[in-house]
Amino acid sequence: MKGTAVARANIAFIKYWGNLNDDLRLPMNGSISMTLDRLRTVTTVEFSPALAEDEIEVDGEEPSPAAKARIVAHLDRLRTLAGKPLKAQVVSVNDFPTGVGLASSASGFAALTLAAAAALEMELEDRELSLLARLGSGSATRSIWGGYVEWVAGAKHEDSFASQIAPPEHWEICDCIALVSTEAKEVASSEGHKLAQSSPLYSARLSQVREDLDRVREAILIRDFESLGSVAERETLSLHAIMMTSQPSLLYWTPATVRVMKEVRNWREEGRSVYFTIDAGPNVHLLTLPPYVGEIERALGEVEGVKQVIVCRPGQGARLIEEHLF
Ligand code: DP6
């Protein structure tokens, strides 16, 4: 009763922020993302009658009590559904820094869902995997799929899942991630979602998002980079306006975040196709096309406060693999 899965993080062009139902992670709005090839999580899960407790290791360490409780709650959902009340051993490895706004919960819960479902011998379609992954982490619902992905909000559990807009080969958008911090963020996104509706700007954001979803989906289908980038950049500013005006206020940016944002606008003035987007953290994702990647990577390396640049391209969805971690 053992399964191993690999799943990748994703970067949202239209972002998930705020829940209709926190327990079910039913979002207030739909979202669209690109799965990222280089931000991978590999997870092995084994269920066994010999275990008295769940044993969990992430990146060689026991997770914090809160992180562990979240993983155990997810295992509980899956073993209840499968009708197999066995404890599990879980070993998970990320090949990128976790807790810095690089969406490790997306790849983590997508990999955990697929590996645990395989170990429990559940035969699930991708749609069901996407629904279940959502209960672990909202953005994980999109990481089940590769390439360009849309999560339709839905008003009840069965209706809130993601599907693929286009496969990775459809279009080579590059995401140059400027890491300006590798520290754990102060407020986790799960907490942020609960504050969203305290912002007086939130209803304006929701009506804008509905239009933006159509624009971004269309831009992906016809490969219109300027349309995609300009909507994504304004969309992330709208997200951060909500964060900043929530009560209490969330401010994820650092001076280096703003320096990178300003540079992106300068580089665009100079004729490069590049736009920024930022999740619940200080790091900046620069969306661009292959001809600009080399020079943007170099230029980013010279911006004060940028510690590392990770270049990602569209990646595959979650998959089972043969090599177990233990
Ligand atoms: C800003 O999926 O991390 O990255 O469901 O509580 O795990 P939980 O939240 P999470 O929220 C993602 C927030 C975001 C936007 C996005 O990826 O859509």
Side-chain angles (χ1 to χ4, degrees), residues 10 12 14-17 25 31 70 105 136-140 142 189-190 193 239 243 279-280:
N10 63 77
I14 302 289
K15 307 210 191 255
Y16 152 49
W17 200 246
R25 289 190 154 80
S31 53
R70 194 167 164 185
S105 70
S137 170
S139 50
R142 299 185 306 243
S189 24
S190 302
H193 291 296
L239 170 82
M243 293 164 165
D279 282 342

Side-chain angles (χ1 to χ4, degrees), residues 94-106:
N94 292 298
D95 60 8
F96 57 99
T98 54
V100 297
L102 287 186
S104 60
S105 70

Side-chain angles (χ1 to χ4, degrees), residues 3-326:
T4 298
V6 54
R8 293 170 173 81
N10 63 77
I11 182 67
F13 305 136
I14 302 289
K15 307 210 191 255
Y16 152 49
W17 200 246
N19 287 324
L20 187 65
N21 178 321
D22 283 320
D23 295 334
L24 290 177
R25 289 190 154 80
L26 287 176
M28 287 294 289
N29 62 272
S31 53
I32 295 182
S33 61
M34 175 176 106
T35 303
L36 300 172
D37 62 347
R38 284 191 53 200
L39 304 187
R40 294 176 347 132
T41 300
V42 179
T43 301
T44 298
V45 181
E46 182 170 33
F47 290 89
S48 160
L51 292 167
E53 292 299 328
D54 292 319
E55 292 175 8
I56 299 165
E57 185 189 295
V58 178
D59 287 334
E61 289 175 14
E62 194 178 328
S64 69
K68 184 170 176 188
R70 194 167 164 185
I71 295 168
V72 170
H74 201 57
L75 292 169
D76 285 344
R77 287 180 193 113
L78 290 155
R79 54 195 156 206
T80 303
L81 204 63
K84 294 178 182 165
L86 297 172
K87 298 295 179 191
Q89 185 177 353
V90 177
V91 174
S92 186
V93 180
N94 292 298
D95 60 8
F96 57 99
T98 54
V100 297
L102 287 186
S104 60
S105 70
S107 53
F109 279 96
L112 180 68
T113 305
L114 181 57
L120 290 164
E121 293 155 342
M122 299 164 81
E123 301 213 345
L124 301 175
E125 291 173 5
D126 283 347
R127 176 174 172 279
E128 291 168 290
L129 284 169
S130 176
L131 284 170
L132 289 171
R134 191 196 80 234
L135 299 170
S137 170
S139 50
T141 197
R142 299 185 306 243
S143 276
I144 294 297
W145 297 94
Y148 299 87
V149 181
E150 178 164 5
W151 171 15
V152 174
K156 56 183 197 304
H157 172 65
E158 299 73 29
D159 295 339
S160 188
F161 58 92
S163 51
Q164 191 179 61
I165 299 174
E169 318 73 67
H170 170 72
W171 194 15
E172 195 180 343
I173 291 184
C174 304
D175 176 9
C176 302
I177 308 169
L179 278 185
V180 298
S181 167
T182 48
E183 314 239 313
K185 56 189 170 197
E186 279 168 34
V187 180
S189 24
S190 302
E191 296 311 305
H193 291 296
K194 294 184 185 148
L195 301 179
Q197 299 192 40
S198 68
S199 164
L201 309 180
Y202 193 61
S203 58
R205 167 174 168 77
L206 288 182
S207 40
Q208 182 69 53
V209 158
R210 289 189 189 113
E211 286 172 34
D212 286 350
L213 283 165
D214 292 336
R215 286 204 189 96
V216 165
R217 191 185 315 107
E218 178 69 9
I220 290 169
L221 290 171
I222 63 171
R223 301 186 187 90
D224 179 344
F225 187 69
E226 306 313 320
S227 167
L228 174 88
S230 54
V231 175
E233 190 170 300
R234 193 198 51 209
E235 149 62 18
T236 207
L237 293 170
S238 143
L239 170 82
H240 284 267
I242 300 302
M243 293 164 165
M244 289 177 202
T245 53
S246 298
Q247 290 168 1
S249 162
L250 300 175
L251 179 54
Y252 286 108
W253 299 348
T254 66
T257 309
V258 179
R259 269 197 293 277
V260 174
M261 293 160 79
K262 292 261 185 202
E263 286 296 358
V264 167
R265 291 193 166 174
N266 290 338
W267 298 334
R268 207 155 63 224
E269 291 276 298
E270 291 164 10
R272 297 177 185 92
S273 279
V274 56
Y275 295 86
F276 62 76
T277 182
I278 307 167
D279 282 342
N283 301 312
V284 190
H285 294 248
L286 277 64
L287 306 173
T288 191
L289 293 169
Y292 304 104
V293 170
E295 52 182 323
I296 283 175
E297 204 181 347
R298 270 193 303 283
L300 269 178
E302 284 168 21
V303 178
E304 187 190 338
V306 173
K307 298 182 197 311
Q308 193 187 337
V309 181
I310 305 174
V311 179
C312 295
R313 292 178 168 76
Q316 303 289 335
R319 296 259 187 291
L320 289 171
I321 56 174
E322 299 291 324
E323 307 81 52
H324 300 302
L325 292 174
F326 61 89

